[in-house]
């Protein structure tokens, strides 16, 4: 009994007193053309304190926005005057947050790590340590870097031969955006399956023998910890710069390749604030330095940043929609094979293509840096489940299916790289 009381106390302090979103709604606005999309985006940045951008999609021409209750009437009028149609896709955001907190609060605490539930920062870092310890023949943990608030950011290196040098490498990072909880959860889910299959599945065994895999489940750890205690919908980092009215930089606008251009903001209160200069965020500076150091001795073939939501696999460029990168054709092949594998289990559709064309232009984003500066030909952003029913508040019961289907994609990526290695050797 005492033990039970203790545990529930821990859980309720972890959940803290949070920012509330009572009667906040998520609207899907239909845009007929690019001018409509631009108009909606301008409105969103003009009313930054009342509207929060959730997702946009240039191909299907709609934009999802979270609207504050006190702005609903005004915004409805603005849209109607402009002749834009919209549907309410989430009636009350707080209700989804409450449901999620209820499932977390009433969770049975077991001895084994549960891959089908969301985990706190501490649990994720503990998992990295325990998982590498339990699978020490092929897994070791490493300290990627330390966050602004001094939290260690740990990752896993997985390799059939941990001591060999010069092998091609694949890098995955989850949780760059704090509120996209499905990302760390999915990454941990498929990582576990992947390691379990070593020695059982001959293809997986080869992938792990011939390629070094670096996997960081949660990169923006300060933001992530903040979503658990203060604000479930926090996206950015937690550093505030002198003279700035607001806290946090969008880590996915902070990379040094084409930093500060179109699709990034210089307003600290914006969700896409690029920071005062490239690599101003210790998480981004530290992780890129780590990778560049590794890249001195081994070639990085894949760089992949796991996000949510929208079910997409986005290739370079992010920074421009006026041109395609030199490797566009190969990047398209890789994305086609991966998304086909994602789809193969439950039929979950993933759209793929250059990010700036399929989604929107964004400068200083991770995948352009991964492609150009790290030299990973196959550099992507994956936007995981769903397409807007729950958005960032994806229920826990979707972790397992998300993990299972993306695991097929991870194997497809490994297969693709193995084929490339074989072609080079023959
Ligand atoms: O805006 C982002 O950083 C990513 N979307 S999210 O909803 N997860 O925030 C997408 C970045 C992908 N790159 C391009 N815009 N091309
Ligand atoms: Zn994201």
């Amino acid at each position: 009994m005492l033990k039970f009381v203790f545990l529930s106390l821990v859980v309720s302090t972890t959940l803290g007193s949070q920012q509330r979103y009572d009667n906040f709604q998520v609207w899907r606005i239909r845009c007929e053309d690019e001018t409509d999309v631009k108009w909606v985006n301008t409105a969103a940045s003009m009313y930054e304190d009342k509207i929060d951008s959730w997702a946009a999609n240039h191909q299907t021409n709609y934009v999802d926005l979270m609207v504050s209750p006190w702005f609903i009437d005004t915004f409805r009028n603005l849209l109607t005057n402009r002749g834009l149609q919209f549907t309410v896709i989430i009636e009350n955001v707080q209700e989804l947050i409450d449901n999620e907190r209820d499932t977390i609060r009433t969770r049975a605490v077991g001895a084994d790590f549960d891959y089908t539930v969301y985990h706190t920062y501490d649990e994720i870092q503990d998992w990295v340590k325990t998982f590498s310890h339990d699978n020490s023949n092929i897994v070791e943990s490493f300290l990627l870097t330390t966050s602004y608030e001094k939290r260690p950011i740990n990752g896993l290196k997985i390799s059939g031969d941990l001591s060999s040098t010069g092998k091609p490498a694949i890098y995955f990072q989850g949780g760059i955006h704090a509120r996209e909880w499905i990302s760390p959860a999915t990454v941990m889910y498929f990582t576990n399956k992947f390691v379990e299959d070593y020695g059982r599945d001959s293809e997986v065994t080869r992938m792990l023998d011939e390629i070094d895999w670096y996997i960081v489940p949660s990169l923006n750890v300060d933001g992530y910890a903040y979503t658990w205690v203060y604000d479930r919908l926090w996206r950015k980092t937690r550093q505030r710069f002198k003279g700035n009215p607001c806290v946090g930089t969008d880590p996915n606008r902070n990379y040094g390749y084409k930093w500060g251009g179109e699709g990034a903001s210089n307003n600290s209160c914006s969700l896409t604030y690029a920071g005062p200069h490239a690599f101003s965020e210790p998480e981004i500076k530290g992780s890129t330095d780590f990778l560049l150091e590794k890249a001195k001795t081994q070639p990085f073939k894949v760089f992949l940043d796991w996000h949510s939501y929208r079910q997409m696999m986005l290739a370079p460029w992010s920074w421009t929609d006026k041109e395609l990168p030199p490797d566009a054709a190969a990047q398209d092949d890789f994305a086609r094979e991966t998304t086909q594998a994602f789809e193969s289990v439950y039929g979950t559709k993933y759209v793929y293509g250059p990010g700036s064309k399929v989604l929107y232009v964004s400068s200083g984003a991770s995948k352009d840096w991964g492609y150009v500066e790290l030299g990973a030909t196959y550099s992507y952003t994956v936007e995981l489940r769903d397409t807007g029913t729950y958005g960032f508040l994806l229920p826990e019961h979707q972790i397992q299916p998300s993990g299972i289907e993306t695991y097929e994609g991870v194997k497809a990526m490994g297969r693709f790289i193995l084929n490339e290695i074989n072609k080079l050797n023959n």
Side-chain angles (χ1 to χ4, degrees):
M1 184 62 192
L2 233 160
K3 192 173 170 204
F4 173 75
V5 172
F6 174 70
L7 283 174
S8 54
L9 266 179
V10 171
V11 172
S12 35
T13 27
T14 314
L15 290 173
S17 77
Q18 284 215 344
Q19 170 75 43
R20 294 192 62 86
Y21 290 92
D22 295 291
N23 302 314
F24 281 63
Q25 297 191 336
V26 180
W27 293 5
R28 175 158 293 177
I29 302 159
R30 258 221 90 72
C31 298
E32 290 308 326
D33 51 32
E34 227 20 53
T35 5
D36 285 348
V37 177
K38 286 231 162 79
W39 185 88
V40 174
N41 286 335
T42 312
S45 52
M46 266 172 69
Y47 302 107
E48 221 141 38
D49 49 334
K50 304 178 190 76
I51 306 177
D52 174 358
S53 165
W54 273 38
N57 184 341
H58 282 198
Q59 263 189 355
T60 47
N61 282 334
Y62 55 77
V63 177
D64 295 348
L65 297 174
M66 181 173 73
V67 189
S68 310
W70 52 88
F71 196 55
I72 287 179
D73 289 340
T74 317
F75 195 48
R76 186 189 296 113
N77 289 338
L78 279 174
L79 292 179
T80 316
N81 289 343
R82 168 89 201 175
L84 289 172
Q85 300 195 327
F86 68 92
T87 48
V88 178
I89 57 170
I90 299 176
E91 286 278 350
N92 179 1
V93 170
Q94 187 60 41
E95 210 174 285
L96 296 186
I97 296 177
D98 288 344
N99 293 345
E100 186 180 80
R101 285 164 68 103
D102 283 348
T103 55
I104 292 170
R105 207 178 279 115
T106 53
R107 162 182 312 164
V109 183
D112 289 337
F113 188 85
D114 187 346
Y115 286 94
T116 66
V117 302
Y118 291 124
H119 289 280
T120 61
Y121 162 77
D122 287 326
E123 289 168 345
I124 295 175
Q125 305 307 316
D126 286 349
W127 172 79
V128 169
K129 291 284 153 70
T130 317
F131 187 75
S132 52
H133 182 262
D134 292 350
N135 299 284
S136 56
N137 55 328
I138 57 163
V139 186
E140 67 187 17
S141 70
F142 60 85
L143 176 69
L144 178 74
T145 189
T146 304
S147 73
Y148 172 67
E149 290 174 346
K150 301 280 172 273
R151 289 186 179 83
I153 306 173
N154 293 305
L156 298 166
K157 178 182 177 183
I158 309 175
S159 172
D161 180 359
L162 284 162
S163 61
S164 77
T165 50
K167 273 198 275 179
I170 290 182
Y171 173 71
F172 288 166
Q173 67 184 25
I176 192 175
H177 285 144
R179 62 190 176 183
E180 298 164 9
W181 282 16
I182 189 60
S183 162
T186 298
V187 170
M188 291 189 288
Y189 192 98
F190 66 61
T191 301
N192 177 50
K193 290 280 162 229
F194 205 23
V195 168
E196 264 179 15
D197 280 348
Y198 183 76
R200 290 187 200 166
D201 175 318
S202 59
E203 200 184 27
V204 167
T205 309
R206 273 189 53 217
M207 285 174 201
L208 290 173
D209 281 341
E210 293 185 32
I211 304 164
D212 284 348
W213 299 69
Y214 294 91
I215 301 180
V216 177
S218 176
L219 179 68
N220 177 9
V221 288
D222 294 349
Y224 188 74
Y226 195 79
T227 60
W228 274 78
V229 183
Y230 299 108
D231 183 353
R232 174 64 181 83
L233 295 174
W234 189 258
R235 160 185 171 97
K236 301 190 285 178
T237 56
R238 291 297 305 164
Q239 179 169 208
R240 180 183 186 157
F241 294 93
K242 226 174 156 196
N244 276 352
C246 294
V247 174
T249 293
D250 182 349
N252 204 25
R253 301 292 181 279
N254 195 240
Y255 286 78
Y257 185 73
K258 301 283 179 189
W259 177 87
E262 192 184 336
S265 172
N266 56 12
N267 172 359
S268 68
C269 301
S270 165
L271 287 175
T272 55
Y273 178 49
H277 54 83
F279 301 118
S280 61
E281 304 312 293
E283 300 79 8
I284 303 308
K285 173 81 177 106
S287 55
T288 51
D289 281 353
F290 176 93
L291 290 169
L292 290 176
E293 191 55 39
K294 291 281 168 207
K296 287 181 182 164
T297 55
Q298 59 187 151
F300 277 78
K301 299 287 181 192
V302 179
F303 174 100
L304 210 149
D305 200 4
W306 299 87
H307 290 242
S308 75
Y309 62 96
R310 211 14 60 96
Q311 291 169 204
M312 288 177 167
M313 183 159 180
L314 306 167
W317 297 118
S318 286
W319 71 277
T320 180
D321 56 1
K322 309 281 182 297
E323 56 178 80
L324 285 174
D327 295 296
Q331 288 163 340
D332 218 51
D333 291 343
F334 186 93
R336 186 183 328 100
E337 289 185 19
T338 305
T339 51
Q340 270 170 5
F342 286 165
E343 249 177 83
S344 68
V345 190
Y346 308 106
T348 312
K349 266 227 140 327
Y350 273 75
V351 172
Y352 67 92
S356 54
K357 290 182 191 282
V358 177
L359 193 64
Y360 42 70
V361 173
S362 54
S363 303
S366 63
K367 75 166 104 61
D368 288 355
W369 180 88
Y371 177 47
V372 178
E373 305 292 351
L374 186 64
T377 305
Y378 304 104
S379 186
Y380 299 87
T381 309
V382 169
E383 301 279 0
L384 293 163
R385 288 184 180 209
D386 57 9
T387 56
T389 310
Y390 297 101
F392 303 119
L393 299 163
L394 196 72
E396 286 182 330
H397 65 80
Q398 293 206 37
I399 297 173
Q400 181 162 13
S402 172
I404 290 175
E405 69 198 2
T406 47
Y407 179 39
E408 291 309 308
V410 169
K411 286 187 283 183
M413 294 184 224
R415 204 174 295 132
F416 194 102
I417 300 303
L418 279 184
N419 282 339
E420 267 202 5
I421 300 171
N422 285 341
K423 267 187 227 150
L424 274 178
N425 291 344
N426 289 329

